[in-house]
Amino acid sequence: MSRILLISNGHGEDLSGSLLAKSLITIGHTVHALPIVGHGHNYKNHNIKVLGKTKEFRTGGLGYNSLKGILYDLIDGQFFYFLRKLILTYKVRKKYDCFLLVGDIIPIAFSWIVRKKCFIYLVAYSSHYEGKLNLPFLCKFFLMSNKVKTIFSRDLLTAIDLSNQLGKKVNFYGNPFMDRIFKLKKEDNNVFSIACFPGSREPELINNFILMLEIIENLSNDNFLSQEEFSFALVKSLDKDKLIKILRHRKWIKGSDKNNKFCNAIFYQYRNIKVSFCWNVFDQILVQSDLVLSMSGTAAEQAVGLGKPVIQVEGKGPQFTKTFAEAQRRLLGKYIYCATQSDTKEQKIEETIKLILKLIYLIKFDPKFLINCKKNASKRLGGEKSCNKISKTIDLYLKNE
């Protein structure tokens, strides 16, 4: 069997990369990981060896960052860090039979520079952004290299478009980050659940979290809500002590946990609205939800992939900015909503509340609405068992060369 180095650029990309690595290892290949951004926790959680020293950056990597985020990159030394990662890639290249690249032009450029045979899951680019895929400078040149053996796209439109542009077949088998979500089943209950995803990265996490609390606090003034409950999916950097301090300062009161669906959760209440705050149950909160409130990248994608409507809340960044959110809407289709016409925070909160109430009504009383959400999910994210399909395609190529 082959030795494969998996290079990924981004936290969401690490998630997909770790799932692909696990699938390839199950077949019999040896897979190591080189995450360009962050500590590679997804790989470590699957006992996949991570090469080199790792570092977490405040912006989470290059991409749709604000000017402030780009300045953070410079201060943090991110570009020099990338250069060290490239040098490491060059040093270890002969230890591996091929590379599997997950992400954007950065890992693709790494592989081209060291002249290594590779397979690419091009998760960062989509033709849905502009109707036709306009690749970054030199990316198309890299993808046309004879070192690139197979390309996998993130959606069907991109596969068709890129196949025509490159003159070689691009495959669409779905998205690995959806596989584990598809395996979970929603429990039947009478509670309408709204999942809240404030993101995972400092420094914007706390700002995002407080903005979501403000939306809920203002929503409590509306008498329309009755059986609806909110569930926050939180990361360990916002621990229970920090959380309780924020909630008490904002006059929230301790709530009851008699209907607790999630372990390791705490419950608070603001007027008539009940909210659970949970850690390490991201997938379960998403699957059990009927509607999603998101200031996150991967969470919104997975929600749309499950056929759930999403409401974005634009933040100050440096990552989940107005620009990032707008690009995400083009990527994921018309069942992702956002209050885009607000000039002030107060207007943003008011318009977001109107969207919440509108979507609760559509979900409860318009059967066609959720059917159309499911149709959109299939087109934008694909179906089940994508890891298995991608890894078997790679395995078949390696066996037959």
Side-chain angles (χ1 to χ4, degrees), residues 20-84:
L20 285 169
K22 186 178 177 181
S23 182
L24 287 163
I25 290 169
T26 302
I27 294 173
H29 299 284
T30 299
V31 184
H32 296 157
L34 198 158
I36 299 175
V37 170
H39 294 300
H41 292 305
N42 284 298
Y43 296 113
K44 294 172 183 177
N45 291 340
H46 287 101
N47 297 316
I48 297 161
K49 182 180 177 180
V50 173
L51 301 188
K53 294 180 180 179
T54 59
K55 181 178 178 181
E56 192 80 40
F57 289 95
R58 284 179 277 183
T59 63
L62 300 175
Y64 286 99
N65 288 334
S66 61
L67 176 60
K68 185 179 179 181
I70 294 170
L71 292 175
Y72 276 143
D73 291 341
L74 289 169
I75 293 168
D76 284 349
Q78 188 168 155
F79 296 104
F80 294 105
Y81 177 77
F82 277 22
L83 183 59
R84 289 195 294 273

Side-chain angles (χ1 to χ4, degrees), residues 201-264:
R201 299 188 191 113
E202 300 285 5
E204 63 191 284
L205 169 60
I206 298 296
N207 293 331
N208 292 353
F209 176 67
I210 290 174
L211 179 56
M212 285 189 167
L213 291 182
E214 290 181 287
I215 291 169
I216 293 171
E217 290 164 2
N218 281 270
L219 188 59
S220 70
N221 297 321
D222 198 292
N223 294 321
F224 180 82
L225 299 182
S226 55
Q227 297 296 318
E228 294 77 16
E229 292 184 1
F230 290 78
S231 296
F232 275 84
L234 302 175
V235 293
K236 61 183 180 181
S237 60
L238 179 52
D239 59 30
K240 288 185 180 181
D241 291 338
K242 290 181 185 176
L243 173 73
I244 292 171
K245 185 177 180 180
I246 292 170
L247 294 177
R248 285 178 176 171
H249 177 73
R250 303 186 69 85
K251 311 301 183 186
W252 286 56
I253 61 172
K254 191 85 167 67
S256 168
D257 62 351
K258 63 181 181 180
N259 294 320
N260 182 12
K261 301 187 292 292
F262 309 112
C263 62
N264 199 30

Side-chain angles (χ1 to χ4, degrees), residues 317-337:
Q319 199 207 18
F320 200 83
T321 59
K322 185 181 182 74
T323 302
F324 184 99
E326 193 274 332
Q328 190 182 69
R329 290 194 295 277
R330 283 184 280 136
L331 175 68
L332 298 177
K334 64 180 182 179
Y335 297 101
I336 181 164
Y337 302 82

Side-chain angles (χ1 to χ4, degrees), residues 138-334:
L138 290 180
C139 190
K140 187 174 181 179
F141 173 73
F142 294 156
L143 292 176
M144 294 180 70
S145 166
N146 59 8
K147 294 290 184 181
V148 177
K149 302 307 176 184
T150 306
I151 302 170
F152 307 96
S153 75
R154 61 162 298 122
D155 55 61
L156 181 59
L157 179 63
T158 306
I160 296 169
D161 179 20
L162 202 53
S163 294
N164 292 331
Q165 288 194 43
L166 300 178
K168 61 182 179 182
K169 185 179 180 182
V170 175
N171 301 288
F172 172 55
Y173 295 140
N175 288 277
F177 59 81
M178 289 301 305
D179 281 1
R180 70 182 188 186
I181 305 293
F182 281 132
K183 292 177 182 178
L184 302 175
K185 301 300 178 185
K186 190 178 190 300
E187 296 176 8
D188 292 327
N189 56 51
N190 296 322
V191 177
F192 189 99
S193 179
I194 301 174
C196 300
F197 299 106
S200 60
R201 299 188 191 113
E202 300 285 5
E204 63 191 284
L205 169 60
I206 298 296
N207 293 331
N208 292 353
F209 176 67
I210 290 174
L211 179 56
M212 285 189 167
L213 291 182
E214 290 181 287
I215 291 169
I216 293 171
E217 290 164 2
N218 281 270
L219 188 59
S220 70
N221 297 321
D222 198 292
N223 294 321
F224 180 82
L225 299 182
S226 55
Q227 297 296 318
E228 294 77 16
E229 292 184 1
F230 290 78
S231 296
F232 275 84
L234 302 175
V235 293
K236 61 183 180 181
S237 60
L238 179 52
D239 59 30
K240 288 185 180 181
D241 291 338
K242 290 181 185 176
L243 173 73
I244 292 171
K245 185 177 180 180
I246 292 170
L247 294 177
R248 285 178 176 171
H249 177 73
R250 303 186 69 85
K251 311 301 183 186
W252 286 56
I253 61 172
K254 191 85 167 67
S256 168
D257 62 351
K258 63 181 181 180
N259 294 320
N260 182 12
K261 301 187 292 292
F262 309 112
C263 62
N264 199 30
I266 62 173
F267 299 83
Y268 272 77
Q269 189 167 336
Y270 192 88
R271 294 182 182 173
N272 61 318
I273 298 183
K274 299 174 182 177
V275 184
S276 59
F277 300 91
C278 317
W279 292 262
N280 303 318
V281 285
F282 173 94
D283 294 351
Q284 292 89 333
I285 287 176
L286 176 60
V287 170
Q288 296 305 322
S289 68
D290 298 285
L291 173 63
V292 171
L293 196 62
S294 176
M295 299 183 76
S296 169
T298 303
E301 291 185 63
Q302 290 178 318
V304 170
L306 288 175
K308 299 178 187 292
V310 175
I311 298 174
Q312 294 175 319
V313 184
E314 294 175 346
K316 293 181 179 179
Q319 199 207 18
F320 200 83
T321 59
K322 185 181 182 74
T323 302
F324 184 99
E326 193 274 332
Q328 190 182 69
R329 290 194 295 277
R330 283 184 280 136
L331 175 68
L332 298 177
K334 64 180 182 179

